[in-house]
Amino acid sequence: MAWFVYVARCSDDSLYCGIARDVAARIAEHDAGTGAKYTRGRGPLQVVLTRRCRDKSKALRLEYAIKQLSRPAKQALVESPAKVLALARRVGDLGGVQQRL
């Protein structure tokens, strides 16, 4: 089963990045208040970007790279799928499929 990196927009307009095997189930956990501490009280979340990765290691590396970006850079990433591909290549994940939601 594949791993996914996702970027979600919180109700306060902040962006949250995480990994999951089932993004919809993970977002439901965030919205229920049982997900990451950062997202508690910031729901409901809206997934704005997902990318399938080859394995968990690649997903973790891409998640870390996204979390290191500034807010404007994260916003640009959400708006341009080509930037996600470039970042994924930089961290060594060439086998993923990007999706925009």
Side-chain angles (χ1 to χ4, degrees):
M1 193 170 183
W3 282 88
F4 295 87
V5 174
Y6 63 91
V7 177
R9 188 174 308 281
C10 300
S11 63
D12 65 357
D13 205 37
S14 62
L15 295 172
Y16 176 79
C17 182
I19 69 166
R21 286 187 179 247
D22 182 347
V23 175
R26 185 65 176 146
I27 293 298
E29 289 176 357
H30 288 302
D31 286 343
T34 58
K37 186 176 181 180
Y38 179 83
T39 61
R40 291 182 194 149
R42 296 177 193 258
L45 275 65
Q46 176 189 7
V47 177
V48 292
L49 181 100
T50 61
R51 178 173 171 84
R52 187 176 69 204
C53 294
R54 285 190 225 170
D55 55 40
K56 185 177 182 181
S57 174
K58 301 286 193 245
L60 286 168
R61 289 173 63 184
L62 182 57
E63 176 196 28
Y64 179 77
I66 292 171
K67 285 185 173 185
Q68 298 309 301
L69 298 174
S70 65
R71 174 159 171 80
K74 287 178 192 170
Q75 187 62 42
L77 195 70
V78 167
E79 293 170 4
S80 175
K83 292 183 183 208
V84 177
L85 180 59
L87 187 59
R89 284 187 176 140
R90 202 173 82 206
V91 299
D93 182 37
L94 301 176
V97 175
Q98 62 193 12
Q99 302 169 343
R100 229 181 111 102
L101 300 176

